[in-house]
Amino acid sequence: MNEEFESYQQPIYHNLWIYWLMQLIALVLLPFDHIIASIIGLVVGVVQLYELYAMRDVSDGMGRAWRTMLLSLALTFGGLLMTLLALGSVLSILLLFVTLAGLIVMIVADYYFYFALDELIFPRGYNYPSGRIRWCFWLSLIGGIVATIVGTFSPFVSLVVQIIVAAIIVWLLWQYLQAVKEKEGC
């Protein structure tokens, strides 16, 4: 049992570091609204899925986050691809609902991910306030809603809101990453 616990420590730091780096790249590319940013967004989604796969055995929450993210990416990108193939037909409208469902499932995957990170604080003894990493989920959810509403009036203000929210999430993840690095000796 103890060997099993030790084998999970190094992947937590490694995978969190890569996840943080992908979040930082996404933050930098947020102002750019073109095909390259969309491709990078796809790459970020795949990397997040890979990192969740690597951490799926760390806790039940991480396992749920991985399975939910897998379902989300399948719905989102499958729906988008099928929508492009069925462009102009009634089926394309139905497939857009599949894509929307995938995006909603992605919110659930984020919920599982951040709450699973928070559950790791106490058992592993990380020097990080319990409950703070959960702010990432609530910030992304509320920030996304605010940015969408504000975006109908001012796309610039919407972009500013998205950048502020993403920067706070990157900062909170960086603090968590440092707490993991300190405890795990990475």
Side-chain angles (χ1 to χ4, degrees):
M1 179 75 171
N2 195 22
E3 292 174 8
E4 206 172 289
F5 180 79
E6 295 292 327
S7 69
Y8 296 145
Q9 289 180 344
Q10 191 71 12
I12 291 173
Y13 176 75
H14 174 260
N15 295 322
L16 275 175
W17 187 84
I18 293 174
Y19 185 81
W20 177 83
L21 185 61
M22 290 288 103
Q23 292 295 324
L24 185 63
I25 291 169
L27 171 62
V28 170
L29 292 174
L30 194 57
F32 303 105
D33 189 23
H34 53 70
I35 192 71
I36 293 174
S38 299
I39 292 170
I40 294 298
L42 174 64
V43 171
V44 167
V46 171
V47 168
Q48 287 176 345
L49 182 66
Y50 174 74
E51 296 309 323
L52 284 172
Y53 175 77
M55 293 174 66
R56 73 190 183 285
D57 294 331
V58 172
S59 69
D60 290 339
M62 284 297 174
R64 282 191 302 272
W66 176 74
R67 290 187 301 274
T68 309
M69 181 64 88
L70 182 63
L71 176 62
S72 169
L73 288 177
L75 286 170
T76 304
F77 296 116
L80 283 174
L81 180 63
M82 296 305 288
T83 300
L84 289 175
L85 293 175
L87 198 60
S89 70
V90 175
L91 184 60
S92 66
I93 295 170
L94 294 174
L95 290 169
L96 282 175
F97 285 112
V98 171
T99 305
L100 179 63
L103 294 174
I104 291 170
V105 172
M106 192 173 292
I107 292 170
V108 175
D110 280 349
Y111 171 84
Y112 286 142
F113 175 71
Y114 288 119
F115 278 66
L117 281 180
D118 192 57
E119 290 171 1
L120 295 176
I121 290 172
F122 181 72
R124 287 193 158 73
Y126 297 150
N127 186 19
Y128 193 81
S130 182
R132 183 180 289 175
I133 199 68
R134 293 178 184 192
W135 294 357
C136 294
F137 170 74
W138 296 115
L139 277 169
S140 64
L141 180 64
I142 295 167
I145 292 169
V146 169
T148 302
I149 292 169
V150 170
T152 59
F153 305 110
S154 172
F156 176 74
V157 174
S158 174
L159 179 64
V160 170
V161 168
Q162 290 177 36
I163 289 172
I164 290 170
V165 167
I168 292 170
I169 290 172
V170 165
W171 178 69
L172 288 170
L173 278 169
W174 176 255
Q175 288 182 325
Y176 188 88
L177 187 60
Q178 293 307 306
V180 172
K181 181 180 180 182
E182 178 185 307
K183 178 64 178 173
E184 306 295 357
C186 302

